Amino acid sequence: MRRIKSLSALATLSLALMFSLVMTGPAQAAGPSYVALGDSYSAGNGAGNYDSSSGNCHRSFSAYPYLWKNAHAPSSFADTSCSGAVTTDVTNNQLAPLNSSTGLVS
């Protein structure tokens, strides 16, 4: 039950941030600036092909944020997802790349 509440809170936070940033920022000609947040699912833990610079976060180049980035060429990309993250990890450690030019958050 705690996990469901955490995921619900994270989803609500993500949607609120995306809405506020999209509504206040200008459109990006080269594609949106993309920021990936989240836990093991977002990081791609278990997918192999890990980014060695992500340490214990186990971010995979085979995870959907990287696959989307490679297919859509956003103007910028930041992946702060981390295996095992909970809502407080996201709010305390993963929001730094968000700014007024962010057009997509997952």
Side-chain angles (χ1 to χ4, degrees):
M1 185 68 165
R2 180 177 173 207
R3 178 99 169 139
I4 292 171
K5 286 182 181 178
S6 293
L7 290 174
S8 176
L10 177 59
T12 301
L13 174 66
S14 295
L15 288 173
L17 286 170
M18 182 172 25
F19 181 75
S20 68
L21 292 172
V22 167
M23 295 308 290
T24 60
Q28 299 293 318
S33 175
Y34 176 31
V35 178
L37 311 171
D39 61 6
S40 304
Y41 184 82
S42 300
N45 192 29
N49 193 24
Y50 299 111
D51 178 355
S52 61
S53 69
S54 71
N56 290 334
C57 286
H58 299 126
R59 283 190 288 273
S60 172
F61 292 118
S62 299
Y64 73 84
Y66 282 94
L67 298 176
W68 193 94
K69 173 190 75 90
N70 293 339
H72 296 92
S75 58
S76 67
F77 174 69
D79 184 359
T80 59
S81 62
C82 191
S83 294
V86 295
T87 303
T88 54
D89 295 317
V90 174
T91 58
N92 294 337
N93 304 316
Q94 294 185 15
L95 303 179
L98 296 173
N99 60 53
S100 63
S101 70
T102 303
L104 176 63
V105 179
S106 66

